[in-house]
Amino acid sequence: MSSLRNFDLNLLRVFETLIVERHVTRAAERLHLSQPALSHALKRLREALDDPLLLRTENGMQPTPRALELLPSVQQALALVQESLEPPAPFDPATSRHHFVIATTDFFEEVLYPPFLARLRPQAPNVTFEIALITDEVLQAGLERRQVDLVVGPEAVTGMPRGLVRETWMSEDLVCLAARGNAGIEERLSLAQFIDHPQVALSDISGLQHSKVDAWLASQHCQRRVISRNLNYMAAARVVASSDAIMVLPRQMARMFAKMLPVRPVEPPPGMPRLDMQLIQHPLYAKERPLEWLRQQLLDFAHDFDTSSALA
């Protein structure tokens, strides 16, 4: 009497081939086994199933009624396993209605997301996106629970669980922003001028990001004078536009605000760190075809964006 617990499932392929071929030599060739190895496997099958399965007769090797009874079920089981092991179908953005949730910063949402979405629309007209905030919950559980597909965030993100898939995505210059009417600010700031001016900074929500600017200043035994902390770049830029304060932000965002508000970009002190961004995924889903497609689109976009920025 056989049971799944002690039955070698590798023998199912041997059984199916033997019963279909009804010839030990041909079956051995199909299975790329030697005849002695196949004969040994047949012996094990007979013992496990308590049936001779295949016997020599005047009409050649013939399966027993028990073997013929088992054959359809075994073939169905093997076909199901083979189908399950086939690689997943390619992701077709032209027909897909997949919905992606991306947790990110307002820099990505305001500056990079609009051209990224415009780039994807022709090839993926029915794919939809949702932008979410990067929070502790997103990093600790949201990715694993599939509430968020991907995080596009700054490199200096703390408190992430181990094992998340992280890769460098894009690097952007940081510059300063000042009001157009701020006569005390020239086109470039020295380090002394930078720390002397009042500044607007972003709130460090949930402790997710250490300020690279403050860490850079601390390495030089300096500290800036922050008069206001705001939740997003737009609010901070509006404070700058109506005060004598300056702020630090990505260059592309400074250019955008200069078209919207009475502000202007100002070159920062030498040595100002860059904003490094990364893509963060959960390894449970990183190999899924839709996410592989989205990741590649983001990588291609970052490459082309960096190239066009360099040529600008």
Side-chain angles (χ1 to χ4, degrees):
M1 187 73 175
S2 181
S3 68
L4 189 60
R5 180 182 304 172
N6 54 28
F7 185 84
D8 184 355
L9 295 178
N10 292 313
L11 293 175
L12 291 180
R13 184 76 175 120
V14 174
F15 171 85
E16 190 263 348
T17 305
L18 276 169
I19 303 307
V20 169
E21 292 292 343
R22 302 184 185 187
H23 194 283
V24 174
T25 301
R26 288 199 300 269
E29 290 174 351
R30 273 188 57 187
L31 294 168
H32 304 288
L33 295 174
S34 65
Q35 281 191 280
L38 187 62
S39 297
H40 178 69
L42 177 57
K43 180 182 178 181
R44 293 175 61 199
L45 275 166
R46 285 167 170 167
E47 292 173 352
L49 298 175
D50 192 25
D51 189 272
L53 299 177
L54 198 64
L55 294 173
R56 191 176 301 280
T57 70
E58 293 180 356
N59 296 318
M61 299 291 286
Q62 295 294 325
T64 65
R66 171 69 170 152
L68 291 174
E69 178 186 4
L70 286 173
L71 182 60
S73 297
V74 170
Q75 288 177 320
Q76 184 179 8
L78 290 172
L80 182 60
V81 171
Q82 181 63 41
E83 181 181 348
S84 300
L85 294 177
E86 290 292 328
F91 178 74
D92 183 6
T95 59
S96 175
R97 294 183 175 275
H98 198 91
H99 180 71
F100 292 104
V101 180
I102 300 175
T104 189
T105 64
D106 54 337
F107 168 56
F108 175 86
E109 183 178 17
E110 294 181 21
V111 176
L112 304 177
Y113 178 65
F116 176 68
L117 184 60
R119 175 185 174 121
L120 294 188
R121 286 288 296 158
Q123 61 169 306
N126 297 311
V127 172
T128 57
F129 293 87
E130 180 178 345
I131 301 298
L133 291 173
I134 302 176
T135 64
D136 283 328
E137 173 63 21
V138 164
L139 295 173
Q140 294 294 332
L143 283 168
E144 182 173 339
R145 294 173 182 169
R146 204 56 184 278
Q147 297 164 338
V148 170
D149 294 297
L150 187 72
V151 173
V152 181
E155 189 177 47
V157 174
T158 61
M160 287 195 302
R162 292 182 179 179
L164 294 180
V165 180
R166 303 166 62 174
E167 62 182 319
T168 300
W169 180 57
M170 180 182 287
S171 184
E172 173 77 347
D173 287 339
L174 290 177
V175 299
C176 298
L177 195 72
R180 285 182 195 158
N182 191 338
I185 303 293
E186 298 181 354
E187 293 184 0
R188 180 180 294 274
L189 292 170
S190 67
L191 179 58
Q193 291 171 327
F194 179 76
I195 61 176
D196 185 57
H197 277 87
Q199 298 194 28
V200 180
L202 296 189
S203 298
D204 197 10
I205 304 171
S206 303
L208 289 177
Q209 181 183 5
H210 293 300
S211 170
K212 294 181 71 173
V213 175
D214 289 328
W216 170 65
L217 290 173
S219 70
Q220 301 181 73
H221 309 289
C222 297
Q223 184 176 356
R224 57 180 172 168
R225 182 161 53 98
V226 176
I227 64 167
S228 176
R229 291 192 179 274
N230 294 81
L231 293 176
N232 57 69
Y233 282 112
M234 173 59 82
R238 290 176 64 87
V239 173
V240 167
S242 59
S243 72
D244 62 343
I246 61 174
M247 68 177 291
V248 177
L249 73 175
R251 184 179 297 276
Q252 298 298 325
M253 181 165 271
R255 290 175 177 172
M256 182 183 74
F257 287 152
K259 298 176 182 178
M260 303 166 57
L261 299 168
V263 294
R264 57 189 172 91
V266 176
E267 290 302 314
M272 175 71 72
R274 291 170 63 86
L275 173 66
D276 297 316
M277 300 187 71
Q278 61 180 345
L279 305 181
I280 306 170
Q281 302 177 75
H282 198 284
L284 280 173
Y285 314 110
K287 289 298 182 181
E288 286 192 355
R289 293 299 175 88
L291 271 181
E292 286 185 325
W293 174 82
L294 176 60
R295 170 187 168 273
Q296 190 59 53
Q297 298 306 309
L298 283 164
L299 291 175
D300 292 346
F301 173 80
H303 174 269
D304 294 343
F305 185 85
D306 283 347
T307 301
S308 62
S309 297
L311 296 175

